[in-house]
Amino acid sequence: MHQNKFLLLVILLFSTAIITAQKPQKPNSVIIYNQIQKLNFLGSVLYIAAHPDDENTRLISYLANDQKARTGYLSLTRGDGGQNLIGPQLRELLGVIRTQELIEARKIDGGEQFFSRANDFGFSKNPEETLNIWDEQKVLSDVVWTIRKFQPDVIINRFDHRTAGTTHGHHTSSAILSTKSFDLTNDPTVFPEQLKWVTPWQAKRQFFNTSWWFYGSQEKFDAANKNKMTTIKTGVYYTNLGKSNQEIAALSRSSHQSQGFGATGSRGEDTEYLEFINGNPLKDKNNIFEGIDTTWNRVQGGKAIGILVTEVIAKYNFQNPSASIPELIKVYKMIQSLDESHWKTIKTNELKNIIAGCSGLYLEAAATNQEAYPGSIVNLKLEAINRSTVAMDLISVTSQPDAKNTLLNKPLQFNKDETMAVDLQLPSDIEYTQPYWLKEKATVGMYTVTNQQNIGIPDIIRNVKLFFNIKIEDIIIPFEQMVVYKYNDNVKGEMYNYLDIVPEVTSSILDKVSLFNSEKNKAIAVKVKAGKDAIQGVVQLNLPQDWTVSPTSIPFTLDKKGMEQVVYFNVTPPSQPTEVYAKSEVTIANKKYNKDQIIIDYTHITKQQILPDAEAKFIRLDLKMNNQKIGYIMGAGDEVPESLKQMGYQVSLLNPDEITPEKLESLDVIITGIRAYNTVQVLANKQKILLDFVKNGKTMMVQYNTPSDALPANIAPYPLKISRDRVTEEDAAVKFLAPNHPVLNYPNKITAEDFKGWKQEQGLYYPDSYDANFTPIISSSDKGESAKKGALLVAQYGKGYYIYTGLSFFRELPEGVSGAYRLLSNIISLHNPTTIPNQKVKP
């Protein structure tokens, strides 16, 4: 709780918005003063890298808060291919989480956030593979678009474009594309279709944000030639905030909770190094804006604005910020008279927030419900209060998207809270609230966004908003507010979310993968959820003709919005192995609905609604099993237990604190989840109990962990060292090193076919050295690399089997990869006596 309060404080210190998704911002006089200082700086920097968490938050925070520069971060991907330490969401759903974490990070460090359409398809070992899968021209187009739109004076690359193969292929590719774009952005013949909305732009210079890490050690970096390097002293202490730049940056970095990047703030001297790459070289190595006019003089007619803002700063009264309003209104009028559009738009928005802050102006448009459906009426409660003695009148409010203008002509008297009710009519064709980049079908490497103007926008596009048209002196200023929903939580107090537009009805096939081991029918559950009151209709489960579904449709009635009903269909598979997608479809008054609703709701990010097609994968496969009872120890979070239950196993989730020999006695197999030994500290203290479990004749399977000095020395019964070896090519050819081993033969015969159709990768963090008691079962490799033999290691220990595997079961099972189910069944069955000899292969 203390940490959350501290985080909120820092957000308050640096946010320029009146309201965020979580809570309204109420800036104090120090924040307002910093905002006015920023109003007088017209320079910008764009930082470019590949993933969420690649950005240098110390540099972004320094540029935004010390230099007062407009600072952006372009992450080419949304981090969809990473791992998730806080929950089971992977791929696109993880990308949604990491997008929000980046947005929260920028609220703290003062930057702005952008993305390209590139899909993080997983680890890549070289940029050639990356750029081929991404579609190089499309991502390059997105980089050019962002630069033309943002108009940075300076571009900084996180990675080195010259070091292909020494880091993640996505990393190098981000630098390659950024460097390539430098001279293209000002060429009107390059991506000319963009010029309908933006103009060509040329950044002044480009740098590579280098450090000792890129040199391999601090000693090598200290000895390197730094003639082309600019040094920036980022160890700034902000006296009016009582915080160091590094402390703010650490809080920003700690927003990446799904990746476990919590950071501790530091203090004192700190230096960042920028290697010159493109553009105009620096004479003054300490000023990246050298030769760039960052004053209002850069805008035609702007000189007088800069002079007036300087006067406002000099006369600012920390005890009475509202004393600055008359001069700020003059500034506002002067900015509106400018012909230039880029800085005019940016500084107008900044100035609105400053004026609201100086006057203590609080504006809110709150819906009575968090969800609404197309065509419905949203009941809004409006609040407006002026906590200054400056005369203000609320002339009207204009709602969007219905363009309704409600005249009010209410004087906003000092500290008198004005509340009123307004109804907002939603159009029947308004789009549902969802991540816009997930609306259309994606490829492995690219999201599909056909609307050019949407490309790069970080967040969900929300169109339901209100403009409070407030007259101050003789000018009317429209203050924009998103429609929110707020409620009181008895523990957390006042809570906020945005208004979401939802379908009238959604449906969900509850098991996203259903396995059919025989021709017997199976009951399939479909959940129907109401998005409005009083709906009734029928739901169907649609499958190819060789699958039988009974009944053909099921009627339902739901009286209240939010109510759910689960119905069951009997599904009979065909006799031959096959994989198909089942789709649920709801019909109400001859209108069909086919969307599922997924809600992601973590306390550190804004609540998210995703609306994928309502479908699930059905697999008719030849899967032989035994009746083992399995205990599963969760690690960082995965869906393997659900997949095991789908296979038909009895699965118990084990609390690591409660592991005792007696608790394990009734179990046949123990499986540890991904990163279990990285994330569950108490597990090290239970390792002897777990290894004794194996020694006494049972089976234990340990899924991948990342290399760490904190891993228990006895993670395995014999010496084993985890490395960073991985096979990222999911279709890499697999060689069977121990073809006669039971794990490849009982109860299922494993062949090369079982490794076809794998998703994203074969595996990761393989051991690269291990005791001779381990039998390596398979080997494979990415193109141009040596064979990796540590993917699946099996050792007899006492009467039982210990298995260590880096194979990505956590990805393959939820994707319904048949071979992964068959191989896992064999691993689980290892403790059963078989007549198949155990062929040993030395490592």
XYZ file of all heavy atoms in Angstrom, residues 436-522:
720
model
N -7.533 -1.447 -30.806
C -7.815 -1.311 -32.244
C -6.924 -2.206 -33.087
O -7.307 -2.640 -34.171
C -7.662 0.148 -32.671
C -6.243 0.660 -32.644
C -5.404 0.542 -33.750
C -5.724 1.263 -31.500
C -4.104 0.998 -33.728
C -4.420 1.719 -31.471
C -3.610 1.582 -32.578
O -2.305 2.025 -32.544
N -5.724 -2.529 -32.582
C -4.788 -3.350 -33.360
C -5.165 -4.829 -33.353
O -4.574 -5.626 -34.081
C -3.363 -3.158 -32.850
C -3.155 -3.554 -31.412
C -2.719 -4.763 -30.946
C -3.373 -2.741 -30.242
N -2.651 -4.755 -29.575
C -3.045 -3.531 -29.115
C -3.810 -1.433 -30.058
C -3.142 -3.033 -27.813
C -3.899 -0.949 -28.748
C -3.567 -1.734 -27.653
N -6.154 -5.204 -32.540
C -6.607 -6.596 -32.502
C -7.927 -6.807 -33.244
O -8.443 -7.919 -33.277
C -6.765 -7.061 -31.049
C -5.493 -7.077 -30.195
C -5.813 -7.582 -28.789
C -4.415 -7.938 -30.829
N -8.463 -5.783 -33.842
C -9.772 -5.891 -34.496
C -9.708 -6.702 -35.785
O -10.646 -7.405 -36.137
C -10.316 -4.501 -34.796
C -10.831 -3.756 -33.578
C -11.093 -2.295 -33.874
C -12.045 -2.122 -35.023
N -12.314 -0.687 -35.304
N -8.603 -6.594 -36.502
C -8.462 -7.288 -37.777
C -7.463 -8.429 -37.639
O -6.617 -8.429 -36.745
C -8.015 -6.301 -38.858
C -8.988 -5.136 -39.044
C -8.481 -4.115 -40.034
O -8.436 -4.433 -41.237
O -8.125 -2.994 -39.618
N -7.547 -9.394 -38.529
C -6.708 -10.580 -38.448
C -5.245 -10.208 -38.650
O -4.887 -9.512 -39.594
C -7.146 -11.611 -39.489
C -6.463 -12.965 -39.328
C -7.078 -13.996 -40.259
C -6.392 -15.346 -40.093
N -6.521 -15.884 -38.735
N -4.403 -10.695 -37.766
C -2.974 -10.407 -37.823
C -2.225 -11.554 -38.493
O -2.743 -12.663 -38.652
C -2.427 -10.182 -36.419
N -0.990 -11.281 -38.879
C -0.073 -12.338 -39.312
C 0.856 -12.641 -38.146
O 0.786 -12.009 -37.080
C 0.743 -11.887 -40.531
O 1.597 -10.802 -40.147
C -0.172 -11.428 -41.652
N 1.758 -13.587 -38.336
C 2.718 -13.916 -37.279
C 3.542 -12.690 -36.912
O 3.840 -12.455 -35.747
C 3.640 -15.070 -37.732
C 4.757 -15.288 -36.715
C 2.835 -16.344 -37.917
N 3.881 -11.875 -37.925
C 4.794 -10.771 -37.673
C 4.193 -9.391 -37.653
O 4.858 -8.443 -37.239
N 2.931 -9.242 -38.082
C 2.365 -7.902 -38.212
C 0.907 -7.859 -37.759
O 0.120 -8.747 -38.080
C 2.422 -7.434 -39.673
C 3.805 -7.247 -40.246
S 4.737 -5.888 -39.484
C 3.752 -4.474 -39.972
N 0.579 -6.794 -37.032
C -0.822 -6.492 -36.791
C -1.377 -5.739 -37.998
O -0.642 -5.044 -38.699
C -0.990 -5.650 -35.529
C -0.808 -6.444 -34.272
C 0.215 -6.163 -33.379
C -1.649 -7.517 -33.982
C 0.394 -6.901 -32.224
C -1.484 -8.267 -32.827
C -0.461 -7.959 -31.963
O -0.294 -8.703 -30.830
N -2.661 -5.891 -38.223
C -3.316 -5.222 -39.333
C -4.053 -3.997 -38.824
O -4.985 -4.116 -38.022
C -4.300 -6.175 -40.040
O -3.592 -7.331 -40.504
C -4.967 -5.484 -41.217
N -3.622 -2.822 -39.271
C -4.302 -1.567 -38.947
C -4.458 -0.831 -40.269
O -3.485 -0.310 -40.821
C -3.490 -0.716 -37.947
C -4.251 0.569 -37.617
C -3.207 -1.504 -36.670
N -5.649 -0.806 -40.811
C -5.862 -0.241 -42.143
C -6.033 1.274 -42.122
O -5.818 1.931 -43.136
C -7.090 -0.881 -42.805
O -8.216 -0.774 -41.923
C -6.843 -2.356 -43.095
N -6.414 1.830 -40.988
C -6.574 3.276 -40.865
C -5.222 3.895 -40.537
O -4.713 3.747 -39.426
C -7.600 3.606 -39.779
C -7.908 5.096 -39.708
O -7.125 5.942 -40.123
N -9.075 5.425 -39.161
N -4.641 4.593 -41.504
C -3.311 5.172 -41.328
C -3.228 6.069 -40.098
O -2.219 6.065 -39.376
C -2.921 5.970 -42.577
C -1.578 6.678 -42.489
C -0.401 5.729 -42.458
O -0.322 4.815 -43.260
N 0.516 5.945 -41.524
N -4.270 6.822 -39.818
C -4.239 7.765 -38.704
C -4.170 7.070 -37.347
O -3.763 7.684 -36.366
C -5.450 8.686 -38.761
C -5.421 9.659 -39.928
C -6.668 10.506 -39.995
O -7.712 10.072 -40.476
N -6.591 11.722 -39.490
N -4.548 5.800 -37.292
C -4.503 5.071 -36.020
C -3.132 4.476 -35.730
O -2.818 4.162 -34.579
C -5.539 3.943 -36.016
C -6.954 4.459 -35.946
O -7.170 5.636 -35.659
N -7.921 3.603 -36.217
N -2.312 4.300 -36.752
C -1.018 3.644 -36.565
C -0.166 4.433 -35.576
O 0.007 5.647 -35.718
C -0.287 3.489 -37.915
C -1.042 2.506 -38.817
C 1.147 3.026 -37.714
C -0.515 2.430 -40.235
N 0.349 3.738 -34.596
C 1.212 4.370 -33.604
C 0.510 4.792 -32.345
O 1.156 4.991 -31.310
N -0.819 4.970 -32.400
C -1.553 5.370 -31.198
C -1.367 4.278 -30.140
O -1.570 3.101 -30.411
C -3.038 5.588 -31.509
C -3.209 6.796 -32.434
C -3.851 5.787 -30.232
C -4.630 7.033 -32.905
N -0.978 4.638 -28.933
C -0.638 3.601 -27.961
C -1.826 2.853 -27.385
O -1.770 1.640 -27.196
C 0.096 4.378 -26.861
C -0.414 5.778 -26.978
C -0.676 5.988 -28.436
N -2.903 3.555 -27.121
C -3.963 2.997 -26.293
C -5.206 2.691 -27.115
O -5.304 3.013 -28.302
C -4.313 4.001 -25.191
C -4.896 3.347 -23.948
O -5.181 2.133 -23.978
O -5.070 4.058 -22.944
N -6.178 2.082 -26.453
C -7.517 1.933 -27.018
C -8.043 3.304 -27.410
O -7.844 4.289 -26.693
C -8.447 1.271 -25.973
C -8.090 -0.214 -25.798
C -9.908 1.432 -26.350
C -8.832 -0.879 -24.663
N -8.695 3.382 -28.542
C -9.264 4.652 -29.010
C -10.684 4.768 -28.455
O -11.563 3.975 -28.798
C -9.261 4.724 -30.546
C -7.814 4.646 -31.064
C -9.939 5.998 -31.026
C -7.703 4.481 -32.557
N -10.892 5.746 -27.601
C -12.189 5.924 -26.946
C -12.827 7.214 -27.466
O -12.219 8.283 -27.410
C -12.020 5.987 -25.424
C -11.409 4.714 -24.843
C -11.155 4.855 -23.350
N -10.432 3.705 -22.828
C -10.987 2.590 -22.379
N -12.300 2.480 -22.398
N -10.259 1.600 -21.925
N -14.043 7.100 -27.929
C -14.706 8.233 -28.576
C -15.822 8.852 -27.742
O -16.437 9.833 -28.179
C -15.274 7.792 -29.932
C -14.177 7.381 -30.898
O -13.173 8.079 -31.016
N -14.360 6.258 -31.581
N -16.101 8.296 -26.578
C -17.174 8.845 -25.746
C -16.546 9.840 -24.772
O -15.799 9.453 -23.875
C -17.933 7.734 -24.995
C -19.114 8.340 -24.232
C -18.425 6.673 -25.971
N -16.838 11.122 -24.983
C -16.194 12.170 -24.189
C -17.104 13.385 -24.100
O -18.124 13.473 -24.803
C -14.862 12.563 -24.823
C -14.999 13.132 -26.233
C -13.651 13.364 -26.909
C -13.002 12.064 -27.326
N -11.789 12.280 -28.151
N -16.719 14.307 -23.236
C -17.461 15.552 -23.065
C -16.491 16.726 -23.138
O -15.356 16.623 -22.666
C -18.178 15.580 -21.708
C -19.685 15.832 -21.783
C -20.362 14.578 -22.315
C -20.237 16.177 -20.421
N -16.966 17.834 -23.705
C -16.210 19.081 -23.696
C -16.956 20.069 -22.807
O -18.123 20.405 -23.068
C -16.064 19.641 -25.108
C -15.173 18.824 -25.992
C -15.687 17.780 -26.750
C -13.813 19.080 -26.057
C -14.875 17.022 -27.564
C -12.979 18.316 -26.873
C -13.510 17.279 -27.626
N -16.287 20.509 -21.737
C -16.821 21.558 -20.879
C -16.362 22.894 -21.474
O -15.156 23.207 -21.466
C -16.302 21.416 -19.454
C -16.860 20.245 -18.704
C -16.395 18.952 -18.928
C -17.856 20.422 -17.736
C -16.899 17.869 -18.226
C -18.369 19.345 -17.027
C -17.892 18.060 -17.275
N -17.284 23.653 -22.006
C -16.953 24.915 -22.661
C -17.038 26.041 -21.634
O -18.138 26.477 -21.256
C -17.906 25.162 -23.826
C -17.861 24.019 -24.831
O -16.794 23.652 -25.312
N -19.020 23.449 -25.134
N -15.863 26.493 -21.191
C -15.787 27.426 -20.062
C -15.261 28.782 -20.519
O -14.219 28.863 -21.189
C -14.907 26.839 -18.947
C -15.582 25.564 -18.395
C -14.660 27.852 -17.838
C -14.824 24.875 -17.306
N -15.984 29.813 -20.152
C -15.594 31.174 -20.507
C -14.773 31.780 -19.379
O -15.205 31.832 -18.227
C -16.845 32.027 -20.758
C -16.532 33.435 -21.244
C -17.821 34.199 -21.537
C -17.526 35.608 -22.052
N -18.783 36.349 -22.319
N -13.557 32.190 -19.740
C -12.680 32.892 -18.806
C -12.313 34.210 -19.479
O -11.781 34.224 -20.597
C -11.421 32.075 -18.485
C -11.795 30.671 -17.989
C -10.570 32.783 -17.434
C -10.602 29.765 -17.754
N -12.590 35.299 -18.797
C -12.505 36.625 -19.411
C -13.406 36.637 -20.649
O -14.588 36.360 -20.542
C -11.046 36.993 -19.711
C -10.211 37.135 -18.443
C -8.811 37.650 -18.691
O -8.447 37.945 -19.846
O -8.062 37.770 -17.700
N -12.853 36.876 -21.833
C -13.721 36.982 -23.010
C -13.505 35.845 -24.003
O -13.848 35.969 -25.178
C -13.488 38.320 -23.708
C -12.036 38.487 -24.149
O -11.184 37.694 -23.690
O -11.753 39.412 -24.934
N -12.948 34.734 -23.531
C -12.680 33.622 -24.438
C -13.258 32.328 -23.866
O -13.242 32.105 -22.644
C -11.159 33.470 -24.703
C -10.918 32.479 -25.842
C -10.420 33.070 -23.434
C -9.486 32.490 -26.351
N -13.786 31.479 -24.752
C -14.349 30.195 -24.331
C -13.320 29.107 -24.633
O -12.857 28.973 -25.774
C -15.676 29.900 -25.049
C -16.732 30.942 -24.660
C -16.163 28.487 -24.708
C -18.046 30.788 -25.408
N -12.978 28.357 -23.599
C -11.978 27.291 -23.731
C -12.672 25.944 -23.561
O -13.334 25.716 -22.538
C -10.862 27.429 -22.682
C -10.176 28.793 -22.827
C -9.850 26.296 -22.812
C -9.122 29.065 -21.762
N -12.543 25.041 -24.547
C -13.139 23.702 -24.389
C -12.183 22.764 -23.644
O -11.062 22.510 -24.100
C -13.343 23.252 -25.840
C -12.263 23.954 -26.610
C -11.975 25.238 -25.899
N -12.614 22.264 -22.504
C -11.825 21.312 -21.721
C -12.381 19.902 -21.962
O -13.541 19.629 -21.641
C -11.878 21.646 -20.234
C -11.147 22.915 -19.873
C -11.802 24.141 -19.888
C -9.805 22.884 -19.526
C -11.144 25.311 -19.555
C -9.127 24.052 -19.186
C -9.794 25.266 -19.209
N -11.564 19.051 -22.509
C -12.011 17.708 -22.881
C -11.887 16.746 -21.701
O -10.868 16.713 -21.009
C -11.163 17.188 -24.049
C -11.512 15.768 -24.493
C -10.620 15.291 -25.630
O -10.133 16.145 -26.413
O -10.404 14.066 -25.733
N -12.932 15.949 -21.491
C -12.916 14.928 -20.446
C -13.472 13.618 -21.001
O -14.562 13.591 -21.576
C -13.766 15.349 -19.250
C -13.225 16.537 -18.487
C -11.954 16.188 -17.744
O -11.931 15.348 -16.854
N -10.867 16.844 -18.125
N -12.724 12.523 -20.838
C -13.246 11.214 -21.191
C -14.344 10.826 -20.196
O -14.266 11.172 -19.006
C -12.139 10.165 -21.155
C -10.958 10.451 -22.069
S -11.401 10.611 -23.805
C -12.060 8.974 -24.113
N -15.347 10.119 -20.672
C -16.394 9.638 -19.771
C -15.839 8.473 -18.963
O -15.266 7.520 -19.505
C -17.643 9.200 -20.546
C -18.661 8.538 -19.609
C -18.282 10.406 -21.231
N -15.998 8.580 -17.658
C -15.472 7.564 -16.751
C -16.612 6.933 -15.955
O -17.757 7.388 -15.992
C -14.439 8.167 -15.785
C -13.232 8.703 -16.545
C -15.065 9.258 -14.913
N -16.247 5.894 -15.260
C -17.164 5.274 -14.299
C -16.420 5.227 -12.977
O -15.259 4.801 -12.925
C -17.545 3.868 -14.740
C -18.266 3.069 -13.676
C -19.585 3.354 -13.333
C -17.622 2.030 -13.011
C -20.248 2.633 -12.357
C -18.276 1.293 -12.031
C -19.581 1.596 -11.705
O -20.240 0.886 -10.727
N -17.060 5.674 -11.911
C -16.392 5.621 -10.614
C -17.319 4.987 -9.582
O -18.548 5.042 -9.696
C -15.953 7.011 -10.159
C -17.061 7.970 -9.758
C -16.453 9.274 -9.225
C -17.535 10.214 -8.716
N -16.959 11.468 -8.174
N -16.686 4.373 -8.615
C -17.433 3.720 -7.544
C -16.566 3.695 -6.303
O -15.364 3.985 -6.352
C -17.830 2.294 -7.940
C -16.645 1.370 -8.192
C -16.175 0.513 -7.204
C -15.997 1.372 -9.421
C -15.083 -0.318 -7.427
C -14.912 0.539 -9.663
C -14.463 -0.301 -8.663
O -13.378 -1.123 -8.891
N -17.181 3.373 -5.203
C -16.445 3.321 -3.938
C -16.192 1.873 -3.544
O -17.115 1.060 -3.482
C -17.215 4.027 -2.816
C -16.413 4.072 -1.527
O -15.431 4.801 -1.458
N -16.814 3.305 -0.534
N -14.949 1.550 -3.321
C -14.561 0.245 -2.802
C -14.327 0.397 -1.301
O -13.629 1.314 -0.859
C -13.277 -0.236 -3.500
C -12.850 -1.610 -3.041
O -12.223 -1.713 -1.960
O -13.125 -2.593 -3.756
N -14.919 -0.489 -0.502
C -14.848 -0.348 0.946
C -13.424 -0.425 1.486
O -13.144 0.053 2.583
C -15.713 -1.414 1.629
C -17.193 -1.147 1.445
O -17.603 -0.011 1.219
N -18.001 -2.196 1.529
N -12.534 -1.037 0.723
C -11.132 -1.137 1.157
C -10.276 -0.075 0.478
O -9.504 0.637 1.125
C -10.569 -2.546 0.854
C -9.085 -2.609 1.196
C -11.338 -3.601 1.642
N -10.429 0.067 -0.856
C -9.541 0.948 -1.621
C -10.087 2.358 -1.773
O -9.367 3.248 -2.204
C -9.295 0.345 -2.999
C -8.648 -1.038 -2.946
C -8.531 -1.636 -4.339
C -7.947 -3.027 -4.290
N -7.890 -3.658 -5.638
N -11.354 2.560 -1.445
C -11.931 3.884 -1.583
C -12.401 4.162 -2.993
O -12.894 3.265 -3.693
N -12.237 5.403 -3.445
C -12.745 5.832 -4.740
C -11.960 5.160 -5.869
O -10.740 5.229 -5.931
C -12.617 7.353 -4.848
C -13.311 7.962 -6.045
C -13.199 9.463 -6.036
O -12.069 9.989 -5.991
O -14.253 10.130 -6.055
N -12.698 4.514 -6.783
C -12.071 3.778 -7.888
C -12.634 4.287 -9.212
O -13.803 4.630 -9.312
C -12.357 2.276 -7.759
C -11.876 1.658 -6.447
S -10.093 1.687 -6.271
C -9.615 0.493 -7.527
N -11.770 4.306 -10.228
C -12.147 4.820 -11.541
C -11.849 3.808 -12.629
O -10.868 3.072 -12.572
C -11.366 6.099 -11.861
C -11.925 7.348 -11.236
C -11.683 7.635 -9.899
C -12.679 8.248 -11.976
C -12.183 8.785 -9.308
C -13.189 9.408 -11.399
C -12.933 9.668 -10.067
O -13.440 10.806 -9.505
N -12.701 3.791 -13.643
C -12.447 3.109 -14.904
C -13.060 3.956 -16.013
O -13.913 4.822 -15.759
C -13.068 1.707 -14.935
C -12.133 0.658 -14.371
O -10.990 0.552 -14.809
N -12.605 -0.100 -13.401
N -12.667 3.688 -17.230
C -13.321 4.331 -18.355
C -14.646 3.628 -18.659
O -14.860 2.466 -18.292
C -12.442 4.268 -19.604
C -11.276 5.210 -19.605
C -9.983 4.747 -19.787
C -11.469 6.580 -19.451
C -8.904 5.618 -19.806
C -10.403 7.458 -19.463
C -9.120 6.971 -19.643
O -8.057 7.832 -19.663
N -15.525 4.324 -19.362
C -16.738 3.714 -19.904
C -16.348 2.802 -21.068
O -15.594 3.200 -21.952
C -17.693 4.801 -20.397
C -18.932 4.302 -21.147
C -19.929 3.688 -20.176
C -19.576 5.446 -21.939
N -16.860 1.577 -21.081
C -16.617 0.637 -22.171
C -17.898 0.419 -22.962
O -18.983 0.244 -22.380
C -16.133 -0.709 -21.647
C -14.679 -0.677 -21.214
O -13.936 0.214 -21.680
O -14.271 -1.534 -20.405
N -17.775 0.387 -24.285
C -18.892 0.020 -25.152
C -18.784 -1.471 -25.428
O -17.761 -1.953 -25.937
C -18.855 0.808 -26.480
C -18.703 2.307 -26.204
C -20.114 0.525 -27.292
C -19.770 2.896 -25.325
N -19.835 -2.211 -25.066
C -19.799 -3.666 -25.142
C -20.881 -4.167 -26.095
O -21.875 -3.477 -26.348
C -19.994 -4.300 -23.743
C -18.961 -3.777 -22.758
C -21.406 -4.034 -23.211
N -20.718 -5.381 -26.634
C -21.797 -5.967 -27.448
C -23.033 -6.226 -26.599
O -22.941 -6.422 -25.383
C -21.177 -7.280 -27.949
C -19.705 -7.106 -27.802
C -19.508 -6.233 -26.603
N -24.184 -6.269 -27.250
C -25.427 -6.572 -26.534
C -25.367 -7.950 -25.893
O -25.993 -8.199 -24.863
C -26.625 -6.492 -27.494
C -26.956 -5.085 -27.965
C -26.201 -4.682 -29.229
O -25.052 -5.156 -29.422
O -26.748 -3.901 -30.027
N -24.607 -8.856 -26.511
C -24.455 -10.192 -25.947
C -23.115 -10.756 -26.438
O -22.689 -10.482 -27.563
C -25.627 -11.126 -26.361
C -25.654 -11.338 -27.865
C -25.568 -12.461 -25.632
N -22.459 -11.498 -25.572
C -21.229 -12.200 -25.951
C -21.370 -13.665 -25.568
O -22.219 -14.040 -24.749
C -19.991 -11.613 -25.252
O -20.185 -11.644 -23.825
C -19.732 -10.194 -25.701
N -20.542 -14.499 -26.165
C -20.546 -15.913 -25.815
C -19.114 -16.411 -25.756
O -18.210 -15.832 -26.373
C -21.344 -16.740 -26.826
O -20.758 -16.670 -28.113
N -18.922 -17.465 -25.020
C -17.577 -17.989 -24.828
C -17.626 -19.507 -24.688
O -18.371 -20.035 -23.863
C -16.959 -17.384 -23.556
O -15.695 -17.956 -23.292
N -16.841 -20.186 -25.527
C -16.649 -21.632 -25.333
C -15.645 -21.769 -24.204
O -14.500 -21.323 -24.324
C -16.137 -22.299 -26.624
C -17.098 -21.990 -27.786
C -15.986 -23.802 -26.436
C -16.582 -22.435 -29.138
N -16.057 -22.339 -23.098
C -15.277 -22.224 -21.870
C -13.902 -22.881 -21.963
O -12.929 -22.348 -21.437
C -16.061 -22.792 -20.682
C -17.322 -21.995 -20.314
C -17.963 -22.561 -19.057
C -17.007 -20.522 -20.126
N -13.809 -24.024 -22.609
C -12.498 -24.649 -22.813
C -11.985 -24.242 -24.181
O -12.578 -24.584 -25.210
C -12.608 -26.174 -22.717
C -12.871 -26.652 -21.302
O -12.326 -26.050 -20.366
O -13.647 -27.614 -21.133
N -10.879 -23.493 -24.206
C -10.361 -22.995 -25.472
C -9.695 -24.083 -26.298
O -9.446 -23.897 -27.487
C -9.368 -21.848 -25.220
C -10.006 -20.657 -24.523
C -11.280 -20.205 -25.235
C -11.976 -19.075 -24.506
N -13.307 -18.775 -25.087
N -9.403 -25.206 -25.679
C -8.955 -26.401 -26.395
C -9.723 -27.579 -25.827
O -9.781 -27.760 -24.608
C -7.440 -26.641 -26.231
C -7.036 -27.950 -26.892
C -6.639 -25.491 -26.828
N -10.339 -28.360 -26.687
C -11.029 -29.578 -26.258
C -10.429 -30.765 -26.987
O -10.326 -30.767 -28.216
C -12.534 -29.494 -26.552
O -13.177 -28.635 -25.646
N -10.027 -31.771 -26.204
C -9.413 -32.976 -26.755
C -10.432 -34.107 -26.800
O -11.179 -34.331 -25.837
C -8.220 -33.407 -25.895
C -7.110 -32.374 -25.673
C -6.017 -32.963 -24.795
C -6.534 -31.889 -26.993
N -10.434 -34.818 -27.912
C -11.301 -35.986 -28.082
C -10.394 -37.176 -28.385
O -9.785 -37.259 -29.447
C -12.293 -35.766 -29.224
C -13.293 -34.670 -28.963
C -12.941 -33.340 -29.150
C -14.572 -34.961 -28.531
C -13.855 -32.321 -28.926
C -15.492 -33.951 -28.288
C -15.133 -32.633 -28.487
N -10.293 -38.089 -27.407
C -9.391 -39.243 -27.556
C -10.044 -40.422 -28.248
O -9.388 -41.409 -28.554
C -8.897 -39.716 -26.181
C -8.034 -38.660 -25.516
O -7.557 -37.749 -26.178
N -7.842 -38.780 -24.219
N -11.358 -40.347 -28.445
C -12.094 -41.447 -29.066
C -13.280 -40.855 -29.805
O -13.423 -39.634 -29.911
C -12.572 -42.438 -28.006
O -13.568 -41.844 -27.192
N -14.148 -41.723 -30.314
C -15.335 -41.245 -31.028
C -16.491 -40.953 -30.084
O -17.596 -40.623 -30.525
C -15.764 -42.280 -32.070
C -14.734 -42.488 -33.171
C -15.175 -43.530 -34.178
O -16.283 -43.397 -34.705
O -14.410 -44.486 -34.410
N -16.259 -41.072 -28.780
C -17.314 -40.777 -27.809
C -17.616 -39.280 -27.796
O -16.744 -38.445 -27.998
C -16.878 -41.217 -26.414
C -16.762 -42.723 -26.250
C -16.371 -43.076 -24.825
C -16.279 -44.586 -24.630
N -15.869 -44.941 -23.250
N -18.898 -38.982 -27.538
C -19.267 -37.573 -27.487
C -18.796 -36.932 -26.184
O -18.430 -37.623 -25.226
C -20.769 -37.383 -27.694
C -21.588 -37.993 -26.576
O -21.087 -38.346 -25.533
N -22.883 -38.121 -26.807
N -18.813 -35.629 -26.189
C -18.305 -34.884 -25.050
C -19.177 -33.654 -24.850
O -19.606 -33.015 -25.821
C -16.851 -34.466 -25.326
C -16.111 -33.861 -24.152
C -14.631 -33.675 -24.542
C -13.823 -33.201 -23.360
N -12.379 -33.095 -23.693
